Amino acid sequence: GSFDNTEYIELLAGYLRNEGHTITVNWWYHDFKVDTRPDDEWYQHWQIVDVSKRNFKGIDDADALILVGPQIGTKKFNGANVELGYAIGKGKPVLSIGNLERSAMYVPVIKCKTLYELRLEMTKIMMGQEEAPAQGGPQEENAQGGGH
C-alpha cells in the first residue's frame, strides 16, 4: 500500500482482524519518508534501520502478504515491490486488492477486486488449498498488511 491510502488500509486491517487474521506490521502509522535528513543520514538512522528490519520480520512471520492498491486509478509502488519480491522469494502467497499498474512481475499475485474475493482467497490459503488456476503463485496462511 501507500501512505496516501491509509484510511482504506486501516479499514481493511480492521476487517481482517475481525475475520481472525493477525496483522504482523502496522506500517501505515508513521511515514518516516517525510524526514528531511539527507539520504546518507536517513538510510543509517536507527529508526529507518528498525523499520526495515521490522518489515522483513513481519513478512517472515506472516503467512501471506497483501498489497493494497488504490480503488480508483493505479499507483507505482516502491518499497511495497521490494516486500512483494521478498515474500514471493520466501514462498509466501501475495494477494492484492485494489488496482495495480500493469507489470509482468505481478503475474504471481492473487488479484482480488472485492473484500469478498479477498476473504475467499485468504480462506483457501488458511485451509492450504490451491488458489484459482489462472492466478499462479505459492500458498501458505495468515496476512501482513504490507508495503509502502
Side-chain angles (χ1 to χ4, degrees):
S2 82
F3 286 101
D4 57 3
N5 202 13
T6 56
E7 188 174 312
Y8 179 71
I9 291 167
E10 184 62 41
L11 289 171
L12 178 61
Y15 172 79
L16 290 170
R17 285 186 194 103
N18 288 339
E19 290 287 313
H21 299 286
T22 300
I23 308 299
T24 60
V25 177
N26 297 311
W27 59 267
W28 58 91
Y29 289 167
H30 185 78
D31 185 357
F32 288 95
K33 291 183 282 190
V34 297
D35 187 310
T36 59
R37 300 170 207 270
D39 284 352
D40 57 340
E41 290 178 34
W42 189 86
Y43 282 109
Q44 294 179 25
H45 191 271
W46 68 269
Q47 285 181 310
I48 304 308
V49 173
D50 282 354
V51 166
S52 175
K53 289 177 183 177
R54 178 196 70 195
N55 288 348
F56 284 118
K57 183 176 181 336
I59 295 167
D60 289 339
D61 293 346
D63 296 310
L65 179 106
I66 300 173
L67 182 60
V68 183
Q71 300 302 301
I72 299 171
T74 59
K75 168 110 179 127
K76 286 187 184 225
F77 291 107
N78 295 315
N81 282 331
V82 173
E83 293 166 345
L84 180 142
Y86 183 79
I88 290 171
K90 291 284 195 168
K92 311 270 182 172
V94 177
L95 301 94
S96 71
I97 186 161
N99 298 317
L100 298 178
E101 250 188 13
R102 284 186 175 179
S103 170
M105 299 311 293
Y106 291 147
V107 167
V109 175
I110 302 166
K111 295 158 205 71
C112 304
K113 296 279 186 209
T114 65
L115 280 176
Y116 178 75
E117 287 178 21
L118 182 68
R119 182 174 181 237
L120 288 177
E121 293 299 335
M122 290 297 297
T123 300
K124 290 177 188 177
I125 290 166
M126 290 174 60
M127 296 177 69
Q129 298 176 2
E130 292 295 317
E131 78 279 2
Q135 298 294 322
Q139 294 298 301
E140 297 218 358
E141 293 175 13
N142 228 350
Q144 177 192 342
H148 5 319

